[in-house]
């Protein structure tokens, strides 16, 4: 039921889109909890550190044999996140 889920993480970034810090597994876990899912940070696998604005794919290991990919939208504001989410939806419809 989590396939295709997208969460939003708001972060400050430089003019070229580099974050001041990074998005951690704890941030993803908290974002999923806010959306009504129960996920421990140990279940979140971030292979490459998330240090830029945009949409990133993160794997959740829900069970040793069950994993799903979710989208993490990293933006500087809720408005920017809404634009990125809309652009992603339009891109997937075209595919």
């Amino acid at each position: 039921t989590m396939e295709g889920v997208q969460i939003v993480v708001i972060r400050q970034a430089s003019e070229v889109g580099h974050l001041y810090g990074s998005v951690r597994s704890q941030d993803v876990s908290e974002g999923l909890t806010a959306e009504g899912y129960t996920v421990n940070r140990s279940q979140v696998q971030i292979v490459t550190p998330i240090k830029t604005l945009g949409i990133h794919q993160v794997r959740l290991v829900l069970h040793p044999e069950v994993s799903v990919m979710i989208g993490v939208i990293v933006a500087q504001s809720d408005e920017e996140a809404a634009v990125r989410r809309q652009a992603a939806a339009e891109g997937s419809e075209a595919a």
Side-chain angles (χ1 to χ4, degrees):
T1 60
M2 294 184 73
E3 193 70 40
V5 168
Q6 291 185 333
I7 64 164
V8 175
V9 178
I10 305 298
R11 289 286 184 269
Q12 296 297 318
S14 68
E15 291 180 20
V16 294
H18 292 283
L19 301 182
Y20 301 125
S22 63
V23 175
R24 302 169 297 131
S25 58
Q26 181 68 33
D27 301 318
V28 175
S29 174
E30 289 171 0
L32 286 165
T33 300
E35 293 290 323
Y37 297 99
T38 304
V39 176
N40 296 322
R41 68 182 177 109
S42 62
Q43 294 175 295
V44 179
Q45 290 186 342
I46 300 176
V47 177
T48 305
I50 299 175
K51 295 182 175 253
T52 58
L53 296 173
I55 301 174
H56 304 272
Q57 295 297 309
V58 173
R59 179 177 305 280
L60 301 179
V61 179
L62 304 174
H63 185 271
E65 297 174 6
V66 179
S67 66
V68 295
M69 297 296 285
I70 65 160
V72 177
I73 301 171
V74 183
Q76 294 186 67
S77 67
D78 289 327
E79 294 80 18
E80 180 184 340
V83 169
R84 289 187 188 276
R85 187 183 300 249
Q86 181 64 34
E90 290 173 358
S92 66
E93 289 173 6

